[in-house]
Amino acid sequence: MRLCAIALGLLVMPLLAAHPLDDKADMASRIVVADDARLELVLEFRYRDVRASYAELAAGLDRDLDGAVTRQEARLRFLDNVDPLALAITVNVNGRPVNLEADLERCEFADLDNPAADLNAPGGAPAMAMRIFYRFVFTARPDPGPGVHAVEYFFSGPQAVVHDPRAQMLPLDARDAMRPVAGARWDTTQGMPRVRFEWRVGTPPPAPAVAPAAMPPTPEPPAEPERLRGLGEVPAWLTLVSGLALVLASLVLVARRVLDAGRRGRWGNALALGFAGLAIVLGALMRLGYFARL
């Protein structure tokens, strides 16, 4: 086993300087607003295959080249990598860099092709067919105080590991469930992948832009009831009596023509007189409030 590990080391000798920030590992990161005082930066590296992991194993992960990785070896390799990684990253708050401190207790190492691999097992986890996973966690406590603060997170030099900043550099807010920070902006100014966003402390988030609600139409004032006006207003009761008189006169004329067959005359006049009287009666009843106008 030792001879195999030595042979493996000789094969990857040109790559001994490899570290997580290379193009053999797919990187995803998130910068998290932990609370009103703290930021967290989490970077995850997933090596694409077993061969891509050989350089990292030979570069110091498998320190004794025995073909296995122990918990102590993984911890030492984290110590090797956190400083170069922190130097390649810049986080600014209001234009000033913050101090990133590695949280080694939350850093993680795993074999993506063997979830059951146990670094604490006797002899460690087998490394000959290992596909490496790293998670680095950094914390910062700028404690900027109330207000709206500009945050930017970028790699300080060209990095082949960042191909799509929008997908690989995610700003999240953990204060009210883990959610994306609204209004984040990504760019690659001068070849440096960067994301910028606002960190709001003690201020409400901006209201979403919505179209103003349409104003309800102004109701028209109720029209005044129409009233019969002239040289003097005739009382409603007198109008009613007049109409009834015309109706009665019409009935009398009709009855006379029916009873006296010899009496000549036009039925039309009698009927017209009756309809006129009926219209007057109806108008009077409306004025008196017995029924509403049609």
Side-chain angles (χ1 to χ4, degrees), residues 2-33:
R2 183 178 295 273
L3 292 177
C4 292
I6 293 174
L8 175 62
L10 292 176
L11 287 174
V12 298
M13 188 65 69
L15 302 175
L16 287 180
H19 55 79
L21 281 176
D22 61 23
D23 59 0
K24 293 178 174 58
D26 294 322
M27 190 278 292
S29 67
R30 53 187 181 270
I31 181 166
V32 182
V33 177

Side-chain angles (χ1 to χ4, degrees), residues 5 16-17 25 87 92 132-133 143 164 174 256 258 276 280-281 287:
L16 287 180
L87 289 175
N92 290 335
I132 295 172
F133 167 80
D143 197 4
D164 184 356
R256 291 179 64 184
V258 171
I280 294 174
V281 169
R287 290 180 60 192

